[in-house]
Amino acid sequence: MLSRVAPWLASRSKDETGPDGVAVRVLGAADTPALRALAMEDPVANVFILSHLDSSGSAAPTSGGASVFGVFDGGALVGACWAGANLVPVQLDPELTSLVAAAAHRAGRRYASIFGPAEPVLALHSHLERLGHLAHEVRAEQPLLAISGQPAVQADPRLGFGDIKDFDSILPACAAMFEEEVGYSPFLGSEDFYSRRVAGLIRQGHSLVHIDTGGTVMFKAELGAVTEQVTQVQGVWMNPAFRGRGLSAGYMAAVVVLAQQFAPVTSLYVNEYNTRARATYERVGFKRLGTFATVLY
C-alpha cells in the first residue's frame, strides 16, 4: 500500500496529488542523489537518464527547458519521468502514470515521443491520449537487448569513430536512417537542431562509421547514451547499396568492441517486427533483457 502523506507543495493542484497522498513535482538539484539511486535499480533500462546525470551533474531543469517529474510517497522518490523533447519514464509504476501524464500535459510542451520500458510507456500514452495527445505511431513491443564480453562473430576492422571532417558525409546517412525509422525527415522545421546533434555525437566520440575510399558511408551507428556501466546503441544503418551481403554482423560486432571502450555492457532496443536485425543481434551475442515501447507523436 502507498502511504498517506502530507501534501508536497502549497501550489499543488488536484491532478498533482493522488488519493493516497502520492505527489508529483519537478525535481531540483537536491534531488539528484535520489534520482540517481532510483535509476541505478536498472542501469540498462535507465541509461538515458543516468547519462544525462553524468553529463549535467544535476536533476534540476535544464537551460533548454527540460525537467524531470518526480513521484513521491512518504518522502521517498518512487518513480520519475524525464520531460524534454521526449518523455522517458524512470522506474515508474504504471499505476502512477496518470499523475505524471497530467503534469506533463499542464507543462504545455509538445512531445516528439515517449520511450522506455513498455508498461509505463503505454500507460502514459493511454492517459495522454485522453488529454488530447494523439500518437502518430505506437511501437508496443521492442526487445531490449544487451551484451557483455566479446561478440560471438569477428568484428569488422573498417568501422571506426567518426571524425568531424567527415560531417558532410555522415549527416546525410544519419538523416536517411531517421527518415527510414520514423517516416519523415529530421530536417522538418529546422535543419540546425538535428545537425548540431549529429556534430555533437561525432565530437564526443559517440559516432561509429565506415566510410569507403570514395566518401560513401557504408555503415553507421551512434552511442546515444553513455555511462560508465552501459552504452545504448542507436541509429544503426546500413547503406541500402550494401545490404544483403552479410556485412551487418561484422559491423555490429565492431560496434560492441568500440562501445566497450566506454562501458562493459552494450545495449540497444529494436522493433519486434524487424526480424532481420534481431537475427543479426542474436548472432553477435546480444541477449534479451526486457521490452521497451516507443510512442511517436
Side-chain angles (χ1 to χ4, degrees):
M1 288 286 291
L2 294 172
S3 62
R4 297 178 182 275
V5 297
W8 291 103
L9 296 173
S11 62
R12 76 193 186 284
S13 71
K14 292 181 180 179
D15 288 329
E16 290 170 323
T17 305
D20 292 312
V22 180
V24 175
R25 65 169 171 83
V26 173
L27 299 186
D31 300 302
T32 304
L35 179 60
R36 183 180 293 278
L38 180 74
M40 283 300 295
E41 293 177 10
D42 190 340
V44 176
N46 298 319
V47 64
F48 174 86
I49 194 67
L50 288 167
S51 179
H52 167 71
L53 291 177
D54 285 350
S55 62
S56 70
S58 178
T62 71
S63 59
S67 60
V68 181
F69 295 115
V71 184
F72 288 86
D73 176 52
L77 182 67
V78 296
C81 185
W82 167 266
N86 309 293
L87 293 171
V88 186
V90 180
Q91 300 299 104
L92 184 61
D93 190 313
E95 293 185 1
L96 301 177
T97 54
S98 62
L99 294 172
V100 174
H105 174 68
R106 281 195 305 279
R109 296 182 67 105
R110 295 189 63 179
Y111 304 103
S113 73
I114 315 172
F115 66 86
E119 289 189 2
V121 164
L122 297 175
L124 272 172
H125 163 57
S126 177
H127 294 299
L128 285 168
E129 188 173 45
R130 297 188 190 104
L131 294 169
H133 299 257
L134 303 181
H136 166 69
E137 185 178 355
V138 177
R139 300 176 180 181
E141 183 164 346
Q142 297 175 306
L144 174 64
L145 311 176
I147 182 174
S148 58
Q150 291 299 305
V153 300
Q154 184 175 354
D156 191 322
R158 298 175 297 176
L159 190 73
F161 293 105
D163 191 304
I164 197 64
K165 69 179 176 58
D166 295 316
F167 174 78
D168 288 342
S169 296
I170 295 172
L171 179 63
C174 291
M177 177 283 306
F178 186 99
E179 191 159 355
E180 281 187 33
E181 181 67 16
V182 301
Y184 59 87
S185 170
F187 299 140
L188 287 177
S190 172
E191 183 173 340
D192 183 61
F193 176 82
Y194 188 73
S195 298
R196 284 188 285 109
R197 167 66 174 164
V198 172
L201 288 167
I202 296 171
R203 291 191 175 99
Q204 289 175 295
H206 296 171
S207 170
L208 312 177
V209 64
H210 172 211
I211 302 176
D212 70 12
T213 56
T216 298
V217 173
M218 294 183 63
F219 176 93
K220 69 94 190 170
E222 289 83 44
L223 304 180
V226 176
T227 70
E228 292 183 354
Q229 297 80 28
V230 184
T231 59
Q232 186 178 85
V233 179
Q234 298 176 354
V236 176
W237 182 82
M238 174 72 76
N239 188 315
F242 300 99
R243 294 175 187 175
R245 302 186 185 184
L247 300 174
S248 295
Y251 280 128
M252 282 308 304
V255 167
V256 172
V257 171
L258 294 173
Q260 286 176 346
Q261 295 186 25
F262 296 92
V265 177
T266 308
S267 70
L268 56 83
Y269 57 99
V270 57
N271 293 317
E272 187 274 337
Y273 56 77
N274 194 345
T275 54
R276 178 174 293 182
R278 291 179 62 190
T280 295
Y281 300 145
E282 181 178 355
R283 182 181 170 197
V284 172
F286 282 86
K287 305 296 183 184
R288 186 168 183 169
L289 299 184
T291 302
F292 266 31
T294 299
V295 178
L296 300 171
Y297 291 102

